[in-house]
């Protein structure tokens, strides 16, 4: 994939715009009927300067929006233009592969049994420990390029395959290296500290060591998100609670992998601790789901895992019906969700989570941005937001949900830079 610098001033016209623009006074993730309102301008334009949107309008572009010297115009020919996807839950930094594990699972072994026997996440931990920072950064860059070619702009990337102080810091170094250099600079990369991903069999003191390294994480990388995998063979509710109390005291927003296989009761505790989001929820009880739905915590649903592991899917429809704020994400990782494509996740969300196509698009853009604290600049097409934009090969956005595995943007522009598109469009922008 090559990228070409876009001209400073540019605009897309003759577009069916899914703006997802916030209403006056509206803040944070959307719920209820707002999830189904994509704020569509049936024929409109969007004017940009570099990596920012400067104006959006209906009909023909205003003289003011196209007056800047050298403004390049892209005719969308009536096709859908929408904000780039935001992938708010990924483990996209890893080393090695898990092909053997997939063969084991095809032969009947279960994901948690493989983890308990020292495989699964722990096999990726061994590969990451043997990798250099540079090698991890190079592999992450390859993963990112695949994700961006499918229309992903801002993205969250977790550590969690180091599980020692040195290896966790190495992962965060690799993620920061990519975030701060090309092609990371095309759109935000949000690092998350997931030292609480598992407990190595040879180090039962890892939970206390992991909690003790939080100040070092904050000193080196700022108050990044802190995540934990609360599950049998991973971290207990008690250990997660201690971790999150320490993280909150350092100003780190918290997010948790909760109830993926077993409901251990941590969801209620996580809500009490005020976590920003909870992910998975496949095994969540009705009572805990109802409590999550009326809280300020965003529910992140990951249908790629059910698709790859066991065809169990979270009760996202009920969560929405009870007033919850949903986001969806790839959960891109080598063990439970080897998928790079947000369009595929939108399609799976309509089939297996019970979302409508509008709800899926909102959950994959604006609400996903809110899950990362980015909803003031990503996930919508409005003045001041990032110029991370997609042109779909269709004038009907329902194609994103209707097709699966093949519905992809024909043009991806991130931070005002042309990432994917036809040769004729490329030359228009060059
Ligand atoms: O969210 N379940 C915990 N973490 C990931 C899987 C990581 C892996 O298997 O490597 C998840 O599904």
């Amino acid at each position: 994939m090559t990228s070409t610098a876009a001209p400073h001033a540019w605009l897309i016209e003759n577009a069916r715009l899914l703006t997802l623009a916030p209403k006056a006074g509206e803040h944070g993730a959307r719920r209820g009927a707002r999830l189904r309102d994509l704020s569509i301008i049936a024929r409109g334009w969007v004017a940009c300067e570099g990596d920012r949107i400067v104006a959006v309008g209906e009909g023909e572009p205003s003289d003011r929006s196209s007056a800047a010297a050298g403004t390049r115009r892209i005719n969308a020919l009536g096709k859908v233009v929408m904000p780039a996807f935001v992938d708010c839950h990924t483990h996209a930094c890893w080393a090695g592969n898990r092909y053997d594990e997939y063969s084991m699972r095809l032969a009947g072994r279960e994901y948690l049994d493989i983890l308990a026997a020292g495989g699964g996440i722990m096999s990726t931990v061994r590969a990451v420990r043997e990798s250099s920072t540079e090698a991890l950064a190079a592999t992450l860059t390859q993963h990112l390029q695949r994700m961006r070619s499918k229309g992903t702009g801002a993205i969250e990337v977790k550590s969690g395959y180091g599980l020692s102080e040195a290896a966790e810091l190495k992962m965060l170094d690799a993620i920061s290296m990519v975030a701060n250099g090309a092609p990371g600079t095309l759109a935000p990369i949000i690092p998350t500290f997931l030292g609480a991903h598992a407990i190595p069999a040879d180090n039962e003191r890892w939970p206390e060591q992991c909690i003790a390294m939080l100040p070092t994480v904050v000193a080196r990388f700022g108050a990044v998100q802190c995540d934990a995998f609360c599950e049998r063979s991973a971290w207990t509710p008690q250990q997660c609670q201690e971790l999150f109390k320490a993280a909150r005291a350092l100003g780190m927003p918290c997010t948790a992998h909760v109830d993926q296989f077993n409901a251990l009761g941590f969801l209620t505790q996580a809500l009490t601790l005020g976590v920003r989001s909870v992910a998975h929820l496949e095994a969540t009880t009705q009572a805990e789901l109802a409590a999550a739905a009326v809280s300020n915590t965003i529910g992140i649903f990951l249908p790629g895992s059910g698709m790859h592991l066991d065809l169990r899917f979270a009760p996202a429809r009920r969560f929405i019906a009870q007033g919850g704020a949903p986001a969806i994400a790839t959960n891109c990782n080598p063990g439970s969700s080897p998928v790079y494509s947000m369009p595929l996740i939108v399609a799976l969300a309509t089939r297996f989570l019970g979302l409508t196509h509008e709800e899926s698009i909102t959950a994959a853009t604006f609400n996903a941005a809110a899950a990362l604290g980015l909803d003031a600049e990503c996930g919508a097409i409005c003045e001041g937001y990032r110029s991370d934009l997609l042109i779909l090969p269709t004038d009907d956005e329902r194609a994103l949900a209707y097709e699966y595995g093949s519905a992809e943007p024909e043009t991806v522009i991130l931070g005002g830079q042309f990432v994917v598109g036809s040769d004729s469009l490329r030359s228009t922008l060059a």
Side-chain angles (χ1 to χ4, degrees):
M1 188 192 332
T2 56
S3 68
T4 309
H8 187 63
W10 52 284
L11 71 82
I12 304 176
E13 59 191 328
N14 197 14
R16 176 173 168 81
L17 285 181
L18 315 187
T19 73
L20 290 109
K23 308 266 186 222
E26 184 184 46
H27 297 289
R30 295 175 187 165
R31 304 162 188 266
R34 274 298 277 144
L35 292 167
R36 296 186 288 282
D37 176 6
L38 301 178
S39 298
I40 294 174
I41 298 176
R43 183 165 174 274
W45 51 271
V46 49
C48 306
E49 283 179 15
D51 69 359
R52 293 290 146 177
I53 294 169
V54 294
V56 181
E58 194 172 357
E60 298 294 326
S62 63
D63 290 345
R64 188 178 65 82
S65 63
S66 54
T71 297
R72 297 300 186 109
R73 300 168 81 121
I74 301 167
N75 187 344
L77 301 172
K79 294 173 188 169
V80 172
V81 173
M82 62 176 285
F85 297 108
V86 176
D87 199 344
C88 64
H89 181 119
T90 88
H91 307 253
C93 184
W94 76 77
N97 67 63
R98 303 262 282 275
Y99 302 143
D100 289 347
E101 176 182 340
Y102 188 48
S103 299
M104 282 190 253
R105 287 203 305 97
L106 290 177
R109 292 274 312 268
E110 295 207 350
Y111 178 87
L112 279 186
D113 293 340
I114 296 169
L115 173 60
I121 292 171
M122 292 311 303
S123 70
T124 303
V125 168
R126 288 188 284 277
V128 163
R129 287 181 179 176
E130 284 166 14
S131 290
S132 66
T133 311
E134 292 71 21
L136 286 173
T139 308
L140 171 58
T141 299
Q142 288 169 8
H143 296 158
L144 276 177
Q145 284 173 336
R146 292 178 71 174
M147 297 161 110
R148 292 205 157 128
S149 72
K150 313 280 185 203
T152 296
I155 180 172
E156 184 249 23
V157 183
K158 302 175 193 296
S159 69
Y161 292 125
L163 305 189
S164 69
E165 178 161 341
E168 283 295 316
L169 293 175
K170 179 172 69 177
M171 286 198 76
L172 290 172
D173 275 333
I175 297 166
S176 300
M177 194 182 279
V178 177
N180 297 325
T185 44
L186 288 172
I189 295 174
I190 306 297
T192 291
F193 175 59
L194 179 55
H197 201 186
I199 301 173
D202 60 354
N203 184 12
E204 63 185 24
R205 292 189 55 220
W206 172 239
E208 67 190 84
Q209 292 167 1
C210 178
I211 293 170
M213 73 176 279
L214 289 175
T216 306
V217 170
V218 173
R220 280 180 56 170
F221 304 100
V224 297
Q225 270 200 140
C226 181
D227 196 352
F229 178 29
C230 188
E231 186 53 76
R232 291 189 188 137
S233 306
W235 280 49
T236 66
Q238 178 65 30
Q239 289 164 333
C240 292
Q241 196 165 55
E242 283 167 25
L243 172 79
F244 283 175
K245 281 186 179 157
R248 276 175 42 125
L250 291 164
M252 302 170 87
C254 295
T255 179
H257 291 60
V258 175
D259 303 340
Q260 182 177 4
F261 300 97
N262 300 285
L264 302 183
F266 183 63
L267 176 51
T268 303
Q269 294 172 29
L271 298 178
T272 306
L273 288 165
V275 301
R276 184 195 258 172
S277 61
V278 284
H280 277 294
L281 310 180
E282 286 91 339
T284 298
T285 63
Q286 296 214 16
E288 287 195 287
L289 190 80
V294 296
S295 74
N296 288 328
T297 298
I298 295 172
I300 301 179
F301 297 95
L302 308 167
S305 305
M307 188 74 190
H308 188 62
L309 292 181
D310 48 20
L311 296 180
R312 287 181 313 109
F313 297 94
R317 180 76 259 147
R318 203 176 328 128
F319 178 77
I320 292 171
Q322 292 174 331
I328 56 176
T330 60
N331 190 21
C332 177
N333 76 74
S336 76
S337 190
V339 57
Y340 300 85
S341 166
M342 282 299 288
L344 178 58
I345 294 302
V346 167
L348 295 181
T350 57
R351 283 164 182 78
F352 300 116
L353 300 178
L355 273 61
T356 67
H357 78 271
E358 297 99 332
E359 289 169 340
S360 295
I361 290 171
T362 303
T365 54
F366 192 85
N367 273 18
L372 298 178
L374 293 176
D375 48 309
E377 62 167 341
C378 296
I381 299 181
C382 48
E383 195 178 326
Y385 274 58
R386 289 184 54 86
S387 54
D388 299 341
L389 300 168
L390 311 179
I391 306 178
L392 304 186
T394 171
D395 61 3
D396 193 332
E397 61 281 3
R398 289 177 297 181
L400 269 179
Y402 171 73
E403 295 182 22
Y404 57 98
S406 58
E408 288 174 7
E410 70 177 20
T411 301
V412 179
I413 302 172
L414 299 178
Q417 292 202 44
F418 185 86
V419 175
V420 168
S422 67
D423 286 345
S424 60
L425 187 53
R426 190 180 295 275
S427 60
T428 305
L429 277 168

